Amino acid sequence: MVAPAWMHQQLTAEQYDSLSEEQSRGIEIVDGMVVMVPSASLMHNRLAKKIAVALELAGAPGWFADLDFDVRLQDVPLTVRRPDVVVYRAGTVDTVPMRPENILLVGEVVSPGSETTDRVFKPEQYARAGIQFYWRVEPSATGVPLVYTYVLDPAVQIYRVGDVHTGVIEAVAPFPVKIDLTQP
């Protein structure tokens, strides 16, 4: 199968907006270039779902939590990411593209092949975009996930390390929440 020509050239925001949902599913855009994103495992999806559901239930009125949708971090050069978990203003549920100013927290579940992207590149991009909280879920040798939480230092646009949770997240920010990730 030969990839379409648009996948090999730098895309503008207007070109990306003209793609169909089928064309844009499974890709992210970094500095205008298409980056293929492989399908996630069922365990990856279950972890993301548990976190999103718990955050939405714990959240303040006016906040939703959902999975895997486009977040337009910048227009030039175009950067579009699909975080595994996104907490965003409920009033913007129909907003396309979703912008960082409507997002409170993004979370990534690290998978084989996404380690560097989820640990280095995505947090840097999310912080530059001004997203206040970043959570990273890591597999461990014991099978119990580790969750690293980060808080934005807006003066320098980088994340400061928050807490590390083993299996059970007991966070106070952005909302008080307890999430047990020890069972699938």
Side-chain angles (χ1 to χ4, degrees):
M1 182 169 131
V2 176
W6 60 265
M7 293 184 83
H8 302 289
Q9 58 193 4
Q10 194 171 34
L11 295 179
T12 65
E14 295 77 25
Q15 290 168 319
Y16 184 77
D17 291 342
S18 72
L19 298 177
S20 69
E21 174 64 30
E22 182 181 358
Q23 290 173 313
S24 63
R25 186 178 298 124
I27 64 171
E28 293 181 328
I29 309 297
V30 179
D31 293 334
M33 300 304 295
V34 174
V35 176
M36 299 300 295
V37 179
S39 295
S41 71
L42 286 175
M43 185 55 75
H44 176 282
N45 290 341
R46 290 214 40 85
L47 286 169
K49 180 178 152 187
K50 274 184 148 183
I51 293 168
V53 167
L55 283 168
E56 184 158 321
L57 290 173
W63 294 99
F64 286 164
D66 278 304
L67 307 169
D68 188 40
F69 62 85
D70 283 358
V71 174
R72 176 87 50 94
L73 298 176
Q74 64 183 41
D75 287 330
V76 179
L78 181 62
T79 299
V80 178
R81 291 293 194 176
R82 294 182 72 96
D84 294 321
V85 176
V86 183
V87 176
Y88 61 98
R89 294 181 200 286
T92 63
V93 70
D94 292 324
T95 302
V96 177
M98 181 61 70
R99 299 289 186 162
E101 58 267 20
N102 297 316
I103 297 172
L104 180 62
L105 177 147
V106 291
E108 296 289 354
V109 179
V110 177
S111 297
S114 75
E115 295 94 338
T116 302
T117 301
D118 292 342
R119 292 176 187 152
V120 179
F121 300 122
K122 285 185 177 182
E124 180 182 296
Q125 291 168 341
Y126 296 148
R128 271 197 333 257
I131 297 172
Q132 192 172 358
F133 297 94
Y134 177 65
W135 288 11
R136 189 181 79 238
V137 182
E138 294 268 356
S140 73
T142 65
V144 176
L146 300 171
V147 180
Y148 297 84
T149 63
Y150 301 87
V151 179
L152 182 66
D153 180 340
V156 290
Q157 290 188 304
I158 61 170
Y159 287 116
R160 301 288 183 206
V161 177
D163 297 316
V164 179
H165 306 271
T166 304
V168 178
I169 304 168
E170 292 190 61
V172 295
F175 320 113
V177 65
K178 183 175 182 177
I179 309 169
D180 185 352
L181 300 178
T182 61
Q183 303 297 315

